[in-house]
Short mmCIF file of all heavy atoms in Angstrom, two decimals:
data_model
loop_
_atom_site.label_atom_id
_atom_site.label_comp_id
_atom_site.label_asym_id
_atom_site.label_seq_id
_atom_site.Cartn_x
_atom_site.Cartn_y
_atom_site.Cartn_z
N GLN I 1 22.02 16.82 -34.73
CA GLN I 1 22.43 16.77 -36.12
C GLN I 1 21.28 17.10 -37.06
O GLN I 1 21.27 16.74 -38.21
CB GLN I 1 22.96 15.37 -36.45
CG GLN I 1 24.24 15.02 -35.69
CD GLN I 1 24.67 13.59 -35.95
OE1 GLN I 1 23.95 12.65 -35.63
NE2 GLN I 1 25.82 13.45 -36.52
N LYS I 2 20.30 17.83 -36.57
CA LYS I 2 19.11 18.18 -37.33
C LYS I 2 19.47 18.84 -38.66
O LYS I 2 20.28 19.72 -38.72
CB LYS I 2 18.23 19.13 -36.51
CG LYS I 2 16.89 19.47 -37.15
CD LYS I 2 16.08 20.34 -36.25
CE LYS I 2 14.73 20.67 -36.88
NZ LYS I 2 13.91 21.52 -36.03
N GLY I 3 18.80 18.37 -39.70
CA GLY I 3 19.01 18.95 -41.02
C GLY I 3 20.12 18.29 -41.81
O GLY I 3 20.24 18.50 -43.01
N ASN I 4 20.89 17.44 -41.17
CA ASN I 4 22.00 16.78 -41.87
C ASN I 4 21.50 15.60 -42.71
O ASN I 4 20.47 14.98 -42.40
CB ASN I 4 23.04 16.27 -40.88
CG ASN I 4 23.86 17.40 -40.31
OD1 ASN I 4 23.74 18.54 -40.71
ND2 ASN I 4 24.72 17.07 -39.37
N LYS I 5 22.25 15.32 -43.75
CA LYS I 5 22.06 14.11 -44.53
C LYS I 5 23.28 13.27 -44.30
O LYS I 5 24.40 13.70 -44.55
CB LYS I 5 21.85 14.45 -46.00
CG LYS I 5 20.56 15.22 -46.23
CD LYS I 5 20.23 15.40 -47.71
CE LYS I 5 18.88 16.08 -47.87
NZ LYS I 5 18.50 16.20 -49.29
N ILE I 6 23.08 12.06 -43.82
CA ILE I 6 24.19 11.26 -43.30
C ILE I 6 24.33 9.93 -44.05
O ILE I 6 23.34 9.27 -44.33
CB ILE I 6 23.98 10.97 -41.79
CG1 ILE I 6 23.94 12.30 -41.03
CG2 ILE I 6 25.05 10.05 -41.25
CD1 ILE I 6 23.54 12.14 -39.58
N VAL I 7 25.57 9.61 -44.38
CA VAL I 7 25.88 8.29 -44.92
C VAL I 7 26.02 7.37 -43.71
O VAL I 7 26.91 7.54 -42.88
CB VAL I 7 27.17 8.31 -45.75
CG1 VAL I 7 27.50 6.89 -46.23
CG2 VAL I 7 27.03 9.26 -46.94
N MET I 8 25.11 6.39 -43.60
CA MET I 8 25.02 5.58 -42.40
C MET I 8 26.05 4.46 -42.35
O MET I 8 26.67 4.21 -41.33
CB MET I 8 23.61 4.99 -42.28
CG MET I 8 22.50 6.04 -42.20
SD MET I 8 22.57 7.00 -40.68
CE MET I 8 22.14 5.75 -39.48
N SER I 9 26.19 3.74 -43.44
CA SER I 9 27.11 2.59 -43.46
C SER I 9 27.62 2.34 -44.86
O SER I 9 27.13 2.90 -45.83
CB SER I 9 26.42 1.34 -42.91
OG SER I 9 25.27 1.02 -43.69
N ASP I 10 28.63 1.49 -44.97
CA ASP I 10 29.22 1.19 -46.27
C ASP I 10 28.22 0.50 -47.18
O ASP I 10 27.41 -0.32 -46.73
CB ASP I 10 30.44 0.29 -46.10
CG ASP I 10 31.60 1.00 -45.42
OD1 ASP I 10 31.62 2.25 -45.46
OD2 ASP I 10 32.47 0.32 -44.86
N LEU I 11 28.32 0.81 -48.47
CA LEU I 11 27.49 0.14 -49.47
C LEU I 11 27.98 -1.29 -49.68
O LEU I 11 29.13 -1.60 -49.37
CB LEU I 11 27.53 0.91 -50.78
CG LEU I 11 26.86 2.29 -50.77
CD1 LEU I 11 27.28 3.10 -51.98
CD2 LEU I 11 25.32 2.13 -50.74
N PRO I 12 27.13 -2.17 -50.20
CA PRO I 12 27.58 -3.53 -50.49
C PRO I 12 28.82 -3.52 -51.37
O PRO I 12 29.00 -2.64 -52.22
CB PRO I 12 26.38 -4.15 -51.21
CG PRO I 12 25.21 -3.35 -50.72
CD PRO I 12 25.71 -1.96 -50.52
N SER I 13 29.69 -4.50 -51.19
CA SER I 13 30.96 -4.56 -51.91
C SER I 13 30.79 -4.68 -53.42
O SER I 13 31.69 -4.35 -54.19
CB SER I 13 31.81 -5.72 -51.39
OG SER I 13 31.11 -6.94 -51.53
N CYS I 14 29.61 -5.14 -53.87
CA CYS I 14 29.37 -5.32 -55.30
C CYS I 14 29.08 -3.99 -56.01
O CYS I 14 29.06 -3.92 -57.25
CB CYS I 14 28.23 -6.29 -55.54
SG CYS I 14 26.65 -5.76 -54.81
N ILE I 15 28.85 -2.92 -55.23
CA ILE I 15 28.58 -1.60 -55.83
C ILE I 15 29.88 -1.02 -56.38
O ILE I 15 30.90 -0.95 -55.69
CB ILE I 15 27.98 -0.63 -54.78
CG1 ILE I 15 26.59 -1.11 -54.37
CG2 ILE I 15 27.92 0.79 -55.30
CD1 ILE I 15 25.56 -1.00 -55.46
N THR I 16 29.83 -0.60 -57.65
CA THR I 16 31.02 -0.01 -58.26
C THR I 16 31.17 1.45 -57.83
O THR I 16 30.23 2.06 -57.31
CB THR I 16 30.90 -0.06 -59.80
OG1 THR I 16 29.81 0.81 -60.22
CG2 THR I 16 30.65 -1.46 -60.29
N ASP I 17 32.35 2.01 -58.08
CA ASP I 17 32.57 3.42 -57.74
C ASP I 17 31.63 4.32 -58.52
O ASP I 17 31.14 5.32 -57.99
CB ASP I 17 34.04 3.81 -58.04
CG ASP I 17 35.01 3.19 -57.06
OD1 ASP I 17 34.56 2.68 -56.02
OD2 ASP I 17 36.22 3.20 -57.35
N ALA I 18 31.37 3.98 -59.78
CA ALA I 18 30.46 4.78 -60.60
C ALA I 18 29.05 4.76 -60.03
O ALA I 18 28.36 5.79 -59.99
CB ALA I 18 30.47 4.26 -62.04
N GLU I 19 28.60 3.57 -59.57
CA GLU I 19 27.26 3.48 -58.99
C GLU I 19 27.19 4.23 -57.67
O GLU I 19 26.18 4.89 -57.38
CB GLU I 19 26.91 2.00 -58.77
CG GLU I 19 26.65 1.24 -60.05
CD GLU I 19 26.55 -0.25 -59.86
OE1 GLU I 19 27.12 -0.77 -58.86
OE2 GLU I 19 25.88 -0.92 -60.66
N ALA I 20 28.26 4.14 -56.87
CA ALA I 20 28.30 4.87 -55.59
C ALA I 20 28.18 6.37 -55.84
O ALA I 20 27.51 7.09 -55.10
CB ALA I 20 29.58 4.54 -54.83
N GLY I 21 28.87 6.84 -56.88
CA GLY I 21 28.80 8.26 -57.21
C GLY I 21 27.39 8.68 -57.60
O GLY I 21 26.92 9.77 -57.20
N LYS I 22 26.71 7.86 -58.34
CA LYS I 22 25.31 8.16 -58.73
C LYS I 22 24.41 8.22 -57.52
O LYS I 22 23.53 9.07 -57.40
CB LYS I 22 24.80 7.13 -59.75
CG LYS I 22 25.46 7.20 -61.11
CD LYS I 22 24.87 6.14 -62.04
CE LYS I 22 25.45 6.25 -63.45
NZ LYS I 22 26.87 5.87 -63.51
N LEU I 23 24.61 7.26 -56.60
CA LEU I 23 23.78 7.24 -55.38
C LEU I 23 24.02 8.48 -54.53
O LEU I 23 23.06 9.08 -54.00
CB LEU I 23 24.11 5.98 -54.57
CG LEU I 23 23.62 4.66 -55.17
CD1 LEU I 23 24.22 3.48 -54.42
CD2 LEU I 23 22.10 4.59 -55.15
N LEU I 24 25.25 8.88 -54.38
CA LEU I 24 25.55 10.08 -53.60
C LEU I 24 24.96 11.32 -54.24
O LEU I 24 24.49 12.23 -53.56
CB LEU I 24 27.07 10.25 -53.44
CG LEU I 24 27.72 9.29 -52.44
CD1 LEU I 24 29.25 9.39 -52.52
CD2 LEU I 24 27.26 9.59 -51.02
N ARG I 25 24.95 11.38 -55.57
CA ARG I 25 24.36 12.53 -56.27
C ARG I 25 22.85 12.57 -56.01
O ARG I 25 22.28 13.63 -55.74
CB ARG I 25 24.64 12.43 -57.77
CG ARG I 25 24.15 13.66 -58.55
CD ARG I 25 24.43 13.53 -60.02
NE ARG I 25 25.88 13.47 -60.27
CZ ARG I 25 26.40 13.33 -61.50
NH1 ARG I 25 25.59 13.23 -62.55
NH2 ARG I 25 27.70 13.30 -61.66
N LEU I 26 22.22 11.41 -56.06
CA LEU I 26 20.76 11.35 -55.82
C LEU I 26 20.42 11.67 -54.38
O LEU I 26 19.37 12.25 -54.08
CB LEU I 26 20.23 9.97 -56.19
CG LEU I 26 20.09 9.63 -57.66
CD1 LEU I 26 19.64 8.19 -57.83
CD2 LEU I 26 19.12 10.58 -58.35
N PHE I 27 21.29 11.25 -53.46
CA PHE I 27 21.03 11.44 -52.03
C PHE I 27 20.80 12.91 -51.67
O PHE I 27 20.10 13.22 -50.71
CB PHE I 27 22.18 10.85 -51.23
CG PHE I 27 21.99 10.90 -49.74
CD1 PHE I 27 20.79 10.55 -49.16
CD2 PHE I 27 23.02 11.30 -48.90
CE1 PHE I 27 20.62 10.59 -47.79
CE2 PHE I 27 22.87 11.35 -47.53
CZ PHE I 27 21.66 10.99 -46.97
N ARG I 28 21.37 13.81 -52.44
CA ARG I 28 21.17 15.25 -52.19
C ARG I 28 19.70 15.64 -52.34
O ARG I 28 19.29 16.67 -51.81
CB ARG I 28 22.00 16.06 -53.20
CG ARG I 28 23.50 15.91 -53.08
CD ARG I 28 24.21 16.58 -54.25
NE ARG I 28 23.73 17.93 -54.43
CZ ARG I 28 23.69 18.57 -55.62
NH1 ARG I 28 24.05 17.94 -56.70
NH2 ARG I 28 23.26 19.80 -55.68
N TYR I 29 18.90 14.81 -53.00
CA TYR I 29 17.52 15.17 -53.30
C TYR I 29 16.52 14.42 -52.40
O TYR I 29 15.34 14.39 -52.71
CB TYR I 29 17.22 14.87 -54.78
CG TYR I 29 18.04 15.69 -55.74
CD1 TYR I 29 19.27 15.24 -56.18
CD2 TYR I 29 17.58 16.92 -56.19
CE1 TYR I 29 20.04 15.98 -57.07
CE2 TYR I 29 18.34 17.68 -57.07
CZ TYR I 29 19.57 17.22 -57.51
OH TYR I 29 20.32 17.96 -58.37
N THR I 30 16.99 13.84 -51.31
CA THR I 30 16.09 13.12 -50.42
C THR I 30 15.41 14.07 -49.45
O THR I 30 16.02 14.99 -48.92
CB THR I 30 16.83 12.03 -49.62
OG1 THR I 30 18.02 12.58 -49.05
CG2 THR I 30 17.19 10.86 -50.49
N ALA I 31 14.12 13.83 -49.20
CA ALA I 31 13.35 14.65 -48.26
C ALA I 31 13.59 14.17 -46.85
O ALA I 31 13.66 12.98 -46.59
CB ALA I 31 11.86 14.56 -48.60
N PRO I 32 13.72 15.10 -45.88
CA PRO I 32 13.98 14.74 -44.48
C PRO I 32 12.94 13.80 -43.91
O PRO I 32 11.73 13.97 -44.13
CB PRO I 32 13.95 16.10 -43.76
CG PRO I 32 14.28 17.10 -44.81
CD PRO I 32 13.68 16.56 -46.07
N ASN I 33 13.43 12.77 -43.21
CA ASN I 33 12.63 11.80 -42.47
C ASN I 33 11.84 10.82 -43.32
O ASN I 33 11.34 9.82 -42.80
CB ASN I 33 11.67 12.49 -41.48
CG ASN I 33 12.42 13.34 -40.47
OD1 ASN I 33 13.46 12.93 -39.96
ND2 ASN I 33 11.91 14.53 -40.19
N SER I 34 11.71 11.08 -44.62
CA SER I 34 11.02 10.11 -45.48
C SER I 34 11.99 9.39 -46.42
O SER I 34 11.68 8.32 -46.92
CB SER I 34 9.93 10.79 -46.30
OG SER I 34 10.52 11.60 -47.31
N ASN I 35 13.18 10.01 -46.65
CA ASN I 35 14.16 9.45 -47.58
C ASN I 35 13.59 9.32 -48.99
O ASN I 35 14.09 8.54 -49.81
CB ASN I 35 14.71 8.12 -47.10
CG ASN I 35 16.04 8.26 -46.38
OD1 ASN I 35 16.39 9.36 -45.91
ND2 ASN I 35 16.77 7.19 -46.26
N LEU I 36 12.57 10.07 -49.29
CA LEU I 36 11.94 10.09 -50.61
C LEU I 36 12.72 10.99 -51.55
O LEU I 36 13.11 12.09 -51.19
CB LEU I 36 10.50 10.59 -50.47
CG LEU I 36 9.73 10.81 -51.78
CD1 LEU I 36 9.44 9.47 -52.45
CD2 LEU I 36 8.43 11.55 -51.50
N LEU I 37 12.95 10.51 -52.77
CA LEU I 37 13.63 11.33 -53.78
C LEU I 37 12.64 12.37 -54.30
O LEU I 37 11.58 12.02 -54.83
CB LEU I 37 14.13 10.46 -54.92
CG LEU I 37 15.43 9.71 -54.65
CD1 LEU I 37 15.72 8.73 -55.79
CD2 LEU I 37 16.59 10.69 -54.51
#
């Protein structure tokens, strides 16, 4: 699965849909193997 960006598990139940959307948008900018934005 080299090069993939993977959602590993469900977010905490307290996270709103709007917050989840923001996190997914940011996740596109993470560097491989460091998870650094």
Side-chain angles (χ1 to χ4, degrees):
Q1 295 175 297
K2 185 177 181 180
N4 286 354
K5 294 188 175 183
I6 298 172
V7 177
M8 299 294 292
S9 59
D10 292 339
L11 291 165
S13 58
C14 61
I15 293 292
T16 66
D17 289 346
E19 289 170 335
K22 290 181 177 68
L23 289 170
L24 285 171
R25 185 180 297 179
L26 286 176
F27 183 45
R28 296 172 50 210
Y29 297 89
T30 48
N33 301 319
S34 72
N35 263 20
L36 173 69
L37 281 172

